[in-house]
Structure formats: structure tokens, C-alpha cells
């Protein structure tokens, strides 16, 4: 009989139920056993319900809530197409709110500070347009005597000059010796074209790349913009130009930047999931990875950010990229970075640590967040951030000394506090994962 009750409590396929009479016939020990089973099952369901509720709230926040960690793109533009749009189009080819001069602040309006607009416009070329009276108008309408200029009023406006296109026509002269019996001929030198047999120029391709990768404008929209200016330039051709120029010219710069990055003592690394369309032998829904490496902002080195595309998230990718590197590498907790060379000292990223607690906090109603583990953890991390802000402009040696003096005790206390919270938290919950 207990087997039937157990199956009922566990939700198995055996759905036999007991009548009131049968329940009354159970002994005290049998009823206690059944209660224990039901309690355990109820606790399990409550934990599962809490977990699913957290996941739903977190998903809703990521979709609809404001987040400083979220990257915004133009309408109908996705992160995946940012990386591989050129390849997609090349594959196809082969087979506002107006700005005003007042700022609204609640119930009153405040004018901008005087001189601010002049300061902003001072760096642009000035085209002076003078407004004067004609010779016939330079006489007083009252006494008919001559008028003189006593002052000049100045008004400044910002004018937008749209981009325009020019056709470069190169005329290469060919010379021949005047002595017909000699027959020697000389051709004037001319710089080679950017791409053989193409009308592309460095300025045109650079503008296309800047619009796509800096301003986030897809090639489809650039194609429409070119068309509105009378230039019929399809996206497949633009994609081909970008790929060719990247291979022939930018790869040299990339290699040189990588050499300087590997010479820097402090670097950072991360990876992000992307999906590539029309990749040979792979479905469009297959995950690929864009690995990013950059120099640290606090390092005495030029800012360098390098991307490398890989089909997997294997640990051999950072091993290969960082081959020969000796120094510090700041990363998240992904285990692939833990298998790097012994010459690389891997340091943890506090931003990634904070993100786990942030995700746990936003699933809690605002009126119940105060005093929670997630809120306390974020406050403690904020104290570390404040120290880093104060040390941002200090020399590396002074930053190190102050971190030992100020940050080290805070970190030790923070990890000890997390250790004490570990047993009281469900390991499968968001806060449990954050603590672990």
C-alpha cells in the first residue's frame, strides 16, 4: 500500500488512488512515512518553482528591462550579422529626436550656458556671409545723410554638407623617342589601383567599412543610401571589396597589432556566441564563437582590440592565439583559460562576478531586495570599484601598494562571507550559482 502512496506522491505512471477507508486503515508509522515523502517532494517542487520563476524574471529583464551590460543595435540589426554580413553577401554573389536650445527639467526650463555653442563650433571651418545694405540703402531715412557701421552682430549656425562623389579619371601619358629608328617608349608611372579591375578607391572602401563596423549600418541600408545619391552599388560588391581589402591590406595591420598586444604585460580576453549564415557544412543555427583579446586600459600600451572567429569554444584557440605570451590575462571563469601556459597568470574579472549577483537581484521584487545576499554582495563589490576609481590615474606601483592596503582586506572579507553563505543557499538557484 505504501508503494501506491509513494508512486502517487512521486507522480509516476501508477495513478492508483486510495479511498478514505483505505487511508483510515493506515498505521501511524505508514502515515508518517507518507508525510515525509510528501514533504520531500513538496520541497523539491518549491525549489524547482523558484528556479523557473527566477529564469522567467531574468529572461523578461534581459528582453524588456534596462541594462548597462546590454549592447543596443539599430532597428532590425542583430549582433550575429555584424560579424558575418560581408561573408553572407559575398556568398550570395557567388552561386531622432531634434536637438533644441533648452533643457526641460520638471516644471521649468533652463537655458544652456552662454558660450557653450560657440565652443562646440570653434573647431569647424568658418564660412563668413556678410549682410550689408546696398549703396542706395546706406542713407538715413530721416535726414538723408550717409550711414556708417557702428557694430556688427554675429550669429553662428552649424551647416551639414552631405557627402558627394567624384570620378577620378587617370590619364597616363605614353612617350616615344622622336627618333623613329630608336622606337623606345616610356609610360608615366601611376599608383596601382586598390583592387585590380575595380572602381573601388581607399576612401570609398574605408567609408563602407566605417559605416558598417563603426556606425552599425548594414550593407543593405548602405546600398539604399548609395542608390538615393545616384550610385548603383550592390551589397555583394561592397562585401567583396571589404573581404579582399581585409585579406590584402588589413591583415598586415592585424598581425602587427597582435605582435604589440603579445608584448603587453596586461591583457584581457573573452568570447561571445555568434551564428553564421551560409557556412559550408554547418547549419545556420549552429553556434560559433568570436574570441576577443585586448590590452588593458591601465597598461602602458596603445589600445588594441583584436577579434578572431572560431567554430568552437575549445581551449586550444586561446592557446594558439596567445602562444609565446608572458604576462597577466584577465578573463571570466571559463575553464578554457585555466589550461593556458604557465607563463600566463590568469586573473579573474570582477565584472563577471558581479553579473551573477546582479542577475539574482533583479529577480527579487524591489521592496524585498534590501538585506538580501545579492544586494550585500553588490555593495561590497561597489566598494572595490570605488577604490579602483580613485587609483585610476595613479602609477602602477602605487596602485599595487594601495590595492594591498585597501582592496586585499575587503576581498578576504568578501570571500569569507560568501563561504558562510554557501550552505544556506540552494546550489541550483541564481544566488547559489553566484556564490559558487
Amino acid at each position: 500500500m505504501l508503494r501506491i502512496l509513494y508512486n502517487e506522491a512521486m507522480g509516476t505512471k501508477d495513478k492508483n488512488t486510495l479511498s478514505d477507508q483505505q487511508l483510515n486503515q493506515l498505521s501511524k508509522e505508514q502515515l508518517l512515512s507518507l508525510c515525509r515523502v510528501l514533504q520531500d517532494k513538496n520541497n523539491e517542487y518549491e525549489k524547482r518553482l523558484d528556479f523557473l520563476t527566477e529564469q522567467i524574471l531574468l529572461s523578461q529583464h534581459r528582453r524588456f528591462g534596462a541594462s548597462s551590460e546590454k549592447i543596443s543595435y539599430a532597428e532590425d540589426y542583430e549582433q550575429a550579422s555584424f560579424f558575418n554580413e560581408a561573408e553572407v553577401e559575398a556568398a550570395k554573389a557567388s552561386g531622432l529626436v531634434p536637438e533644441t536650445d533648452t533643457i526641460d527639467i520638471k516644471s521649468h526650463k533652463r537655458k544652456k550656458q552662454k558660450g557653450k555653442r560657440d565652443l562646440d563650433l570653434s573647431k569647424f571651418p568658418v564660412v563668413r556671409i556678410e549682410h550689408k545694405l546696398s549703396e542706395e540703402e546706406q542713407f538715413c531715412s530721416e535726414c538723408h545723410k550717409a550711414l556708417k557701421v557702428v557694430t556688427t552682430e554675429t550669429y553662428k549656425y552649424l551647416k551639414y554638407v552631405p557627402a558627394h562623389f567624384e570620378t577620378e579619371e587617370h590619364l597616363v601619358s605614353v612617350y616615344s623617342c622622336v627618333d623613329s629608328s630608336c622606337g623606345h617608349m616610356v609610360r608615366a608611372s601611376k599608383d596601382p589601383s586598390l583592387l585590380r579591375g575595380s572602381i573601388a578607391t581607399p576612401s570609398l572602401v574605408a567609408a563602407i567599412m566605417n559605416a558598417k563596423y563603426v556606425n552599425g549600418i548594414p550593407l543593405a541600408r548602405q546600398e539604399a543610401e548609395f542608390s538615393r545619391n545616384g550610385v548603383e552599388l550592390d551589397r555583394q560588391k561592397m562585401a567583396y571589396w571589404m573581404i579582399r581589402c581585409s585579406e590584402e591590406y588589413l591583415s598586415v595591420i592585424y598581425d602587427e597589432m597582435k605582435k604589440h598586444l603579445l608584448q603587453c604585460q596586461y591583457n584581457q580576453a573573452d568570447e561571445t556566441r555568434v551564428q553564421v549564415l551560409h557556412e559550408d557544412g554547418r547549419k545556420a543555427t549552429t553556434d560559433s564563437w568570436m574570441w576577443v583579446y585586448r590590452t588593458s586600459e591601465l597598461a602602458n600600451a596603445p589600445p588594441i582590440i583584436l577579434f578572431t572567429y572560431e567554430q568552437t569554444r575549445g581551449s586550444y584557440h586561446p592557446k594558439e592565439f596567445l602562444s609565446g605570451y608572458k604576462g597577466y590575462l584577465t578573463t571570466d571563469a571559463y575553464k578554457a583559460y585555466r589550461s593556458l601556459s604557465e607563463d600566463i597568470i590568469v586573473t579573474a574579472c570582477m565584472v563577471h562576478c558581479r553579473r551573477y549577483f546582479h542577475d539574482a537581484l533583479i529577480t527579487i521584487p524591489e521592496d524585498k531586495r534590501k538585506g538580501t545576499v545579492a544586494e550585500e554582495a553588490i555593495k561590497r563589490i561597489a566598494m572595490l570599484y570605488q577604490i579602483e576609481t580613485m587609483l585610476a590615474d595613479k602609477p602602477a606601483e602605487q596602485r599595487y601598494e594601495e590595492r594591498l592596503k585597501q582592496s586585499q582586506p575587503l576581498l578576504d572579507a568578501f570571500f569569507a562571507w560568501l563561504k558562510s553563505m554557501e550552505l544556506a543557499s540552494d546550489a541550483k538557484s541564481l544566488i547559489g550559482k553566484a556564490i559558487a
Side-chain angles (χ1 to χ4, degrees):
M1 184 175 293
L2 276 178
R3 179 185 62 81
I4 298 175
L5 297 177
Y6 178 80
N7 290 336
E8 185 70 20
M10 298 298 291
T12 56
K13 292 182 179 180
D14 189 349
K15 297 299 181 180
N16 294 330
T17 58
L18 298 176
S19 64
D20 293 344
Q21 182 180 358
Q22 289 175 316
L23 289 173
N24 289 328
Q25 292 176 354
L26 294 177
S27 65
K28 181 179 178 180
E29 290 75 14
Q30 289 175 325
L31 288 173
L32 287 174
S33 300
L34 177 60
C35 286
R36 293 190 189 98
V37 171
L38 292 175
Q39 283 180 340
D40 292 341
K41 196 62 181 178
N42 185 61
N43 290 335
E44 180 183 343
Y45 283 144
E46 284 184 351
K47 290 181 180 179
R48 187 180 302 178
L49 179 61
D50 291 341
F51 173 76
L52 294 175
T53 302
E54 286 181 338
Q55 295 300 316
I56 292 172
L57 292 173
L58 181 59
S59 176
Q60 288 177 336
H61 178 82
R62 288 175 174 172
R63 288 188 63 190
F64 307 112
S67 172
S68 59
E69 298 175 350
K70 183 178 179 180
I71 301 175
S72 299
Y73 296 91
E75 185 181 356
D76 298 327
Y77 189 58
E78 298 179 356
Q79 181 180 6
S81 63
F82 178 86
F83 292 109
N84 71 293
E85 185 191 11
E87 286 74 11
V88 172
E89 298 302 338
K92 290 180 181 179
S94 62
L96 260 133
V97 178
E99 182 179 355
T100 63
D101 287 340
T102 59
I103 302 174
D104 293 335
I105 303 178
K106 292 185 178 179
S107 60
H108 67 281
K109 294 183 178 181
R110 179 177 299 164
K111 292 184 178 179
K112 287 185 178 180
Q113 296 180 355
K114 292 183 178 180
K116 179 66 176 177
R117 183 165 58 179
D118 292 340
L119 179 63
D120 292 341
L121 302 181
S122 61
K123 57 187 176 182
F124 300 112
V126 177
V127 178
R128 287 187 170 83
I129 302 175
E130 296 184 350
H131 300 268
K132 295 183 177 181
L133 296 175
S134 63
E135 293 183 0
E136 293 79 8
E137 294 173 324
Q138 294 181 18
F139 291 93
C140 179
S141 60
E142 301 295 330
C143 64
H144 304 292
K145 292 182 180 180
L147 300 175
K148 64 176 181 180
V149 178
V150 292
T151 186
T152 301
E153 298 176 350
T154 303
Y155 302 90
K156 291 186 178 181
Y157 307 95
L158 183 61
K159 181 181 179 181
Y160 172 68
V161 180
H164 67 282
F165 298 91
E166 297 177 350
T167 300
E168 279 189 2
E169 188 175 48
H170 293 257
L171 304 177
V172 181
S173 299
V174 181
Y175 299 84
S176 175
C177 181
V178 294
D179 187 353
S180 58
S181 62
C182 175
H184 180 67
M185 301 182 69
V186 179
R187 184 175 180 271
S189 61
K190 180 185 82 69
D191 293 335
S193 58
L194 183 68
L195 298 173
R196 185 177 179 85
S198 171
I199 64 171
T201 58
S203 61
L204 179 57
V205 177
I208 295 171
M209 288 183 171
N210 180 76
K212 174 172 172 55
Y213 294 108
V214 178
N215 297 332
I217 304 176
L219 296 181
R221 296 184 186 175
Q222 293 191 54
E223 179 182 0
E225 180 66 17
F226 279 123
S227 180
R228 285 191 289 269
N229 286 278
V231 179
E232 301 303 327
L233 187 59
D234 61 74
R235 69 194 78 171
Q236 288 82 11
K237 183 172 293 185
M238 288 188 280
Y240 174 75
W241 288 351
M242 287 198 301
I243 294 174
R244 282 285 308 278
C245 288
S246 297
E247 294 172 347
E248 295 188 23
Y249 302 105
L250 298 186
S251 60
V252 180
I253 301 176
Y254 183 96
D255 293 340
E256 187 67 19
M257 292 174 68
K258 180 180 178 180
K259 183 174 72 174
H260 285 275
L261 182 140
L262 295 179
Q263 293 173 353
C264 181
Q265 189 177 4
Y266 303 97
N267 287 314
Q268 300 164 348
D270 201 2
E271 73 290 334
T272 184
R273 181 185 287 105
V274 296
Q275 291 182 344
V276 182
L277 302 177
H278 306 295
E279 190 172 13
D280 291 341
R282 308 186 80 207
K283 296 180 179 180
T285 55
T286 304
D287 285 339
S288 299
W289 297 89
M290 192 67 71
W291 297 73
V292 59
Y293 305 87
R294 63 159 297 163
T295 55
S296 172
E297 294 180 355
L298 298 179
N300 186 21
I304 298 175
I305 303 176
L306 298 177
F307 288 89
T308 175
Y309 168 77
E310 303 293 351
Q311 292 185 347
T312 68
R313 204 185 180 195
S315 60
Y316 46 88
H317 297 308
K319 279 184 181 179
E320 181 180 353
F321 186 91
L322 297 169
S323 176
Y325 174 65
K326 297 180 180 180
Y328 294 86
L329 184 70
T330 301
T331 70
D332 57 14
Y334 181 42
K335 61 182 180 181
Y337 300 111
R338 310 300 164 187
S339 59
L340 295 174
S341 167
E342 294 181 354
D343 294 327
I344 301 176
I345 302 174
V346 179
T347 60
C349 174
M350 188 58 71
V351 173
H352 286 83
C353 174
R354 181 187 182 278
R355 188 173 300 162
Y356 285 100
F357 293 104
H358 173 266
D359 290 345
L361 184 65
I362 61 177
T363 62
I364 304 173
E366 291 189 19
D367 58 339
K368 298 180 180 179
R369 292 179 182 177
K370 190 172 182 179
T372 60
V373 176
E375 186 198 45
E376 178 65 20
I378 291 178
K379 285 182 178 179
R380 290 177 180 242
I381 294 173
M383 295 173 64
L384 296 169
Y385 280 11
Q386 189 174 6
I387 295 173
E388 289 301 309
T389 301
M390 293 187 295
L391 300 178
D393 299 329
K394 306 298 182 183
E397 295 78 8
Q398 186 175 350
R399 286 201 306 271
Y400 176 73
E401 293 175 359
E402 290 298 325
R403 283 171 176 169
L404 290 179
K405 188 185 303 182
Q406 300 185 51
S407 302
Q408 185 70 49
L410 292 177
L411 275 172
D412 292 341
F414 177 60
F415 289 127
W417 173 74
L418 288 179
K419 190 70 175 177
S420 67
M421 296 290 107
E422 192 171 6
L423 294 177
S425 302
D426 180 12
K428 295 182 179 180
S429 66
L430 290 176
I431 192 64
K433 292 180 179 179
I435 293 174

